[in-house]
Amino acid sequence: MKINSEKSKEIIISFAEDGNFRSTIPNIKIDGRDIAQVCHAKLLGVTISQDLTWNKHVDNIVKKAGKRLYMLYQLKRAGITQKDLVSVYVSVVRPVLEYACPVWHTNLPQYLSDNIEVIQKRALKCIFPGLGYAEILRRVNLDTLNVRRDSICQHIKYNVRQQNVYPLPVTRTNRFRNSFIPWALYNCQ
């Protein structure tokens, strides 16, 4: 197998405040070509940033889900029932907001979680105008997206630890401890 230098990207993971460190690191070369250094890259649909924050990823999924909300508005104008609109939301929009959430949810700050939740609020307000968000959730038997992501992570954590005993990794920083694998191992004891 040969690496395609035109499709390859290099991300330098660093938590340094200034970006001056980039000039001291030599570029990687494949077949005599420099690999492009980028600040963030998409890997299997998850946007990874050089500082390992999830801002860019959340911006991308909110933007993508927002585009899908347009379809929901059009279906409502076409006279589709509320029950069917909820089904469309659950099957078309919500998966975008939850894709690969075990990777990023456990280390997500509240303000980014709120940005994601806004999409569900907009969708449900479109379907049920005039009702409060909590009332709509109760009526259609849905959870907030934060609760759903917690549930998904708990389910995966349970399946990981159910049959095997893994040694707990030594974590010196909260950033690492809150990443999924250490979080799952520490929280299922």
Side-chain angles (χ1 to χ4, degrees), residues 11-151:
I11 297 179
I12 299 172
I13 305 295
S14 173
F15 306 114
E17 294 295 325
D18 61 349
N20 294 337
F21 65 89
R22 287 179 168 267
S23 61
T24 62
I25 299 173
N27 287 347
I28 295 175
K29 293 182 185 271
I30 297 177
D31 294 334
R33 293 184 176 162
D34 285 342
I35 300 298
Q37 285 187 355
V38 295
C39 296
H40 51 81
K42 194 175 264 194
L43 181 64
L44 299 175
V46 177
T47 306
I48 300 172
S49 299
Q50 69 183 10
D51 57 358
L52 298 180
T53 60
W54 299 108
N55 299 41
K56 186 69 174 170
H57 177 69
V58 169
D59 289 346
N60 288 344
I61 64 172
V62 165
K63 183 177 177 182
K64 186 175 182 179
K67 289 177 183 177
R68 292 183 181 200
L69 282 183
Y70 179 74
M71 177 184 59
L72 200 64
Y73 291 123
Q74 294 301 315
L75 290 172
K76 180 176 173 130
R77 286 178 56 197
I80 304 298
T81 66
Q82 288 179 330
K83 180 181 177 189
D84 290 339
L85 288 172
V86 170
S87 294
V88 168
Y89 165 73
V90 166
S91 61
V92 175
V93 180
R94 191 170 69 180
V96 172
L97 301 171
E98 295 177 340
Y99 176 73
C101 70
V103 173
W104 48 266
H105 170 68
T106 57
N107 214 5
L108 196 66
Q110 187 61 46
Y111 74 95
L112 291 177
S113 183
D114 293 344
N115 289 352
I116 297 169
E117 196 72 35
V118 164
I119 296 293
Q120 179 163 289
K121 287 180 184 177
R122 283 177 46 201
L124 295 178
K125 288 283 193 172
C126 165
I127 299 168
F128 298 96
L131 293 177
Y133 183 56
E135 171 64 21
I136 297 169
L137 289 175
R138 187 186 58 72
R139 184 179 283 193
V140 295
N141 197 27
L142 291 177
D143 289 324
T144 65
L145 293 174
N146 192 43
V147 169
R148 276 192 51 82
R149 289 191 308 268
D150 277 339
S151 173

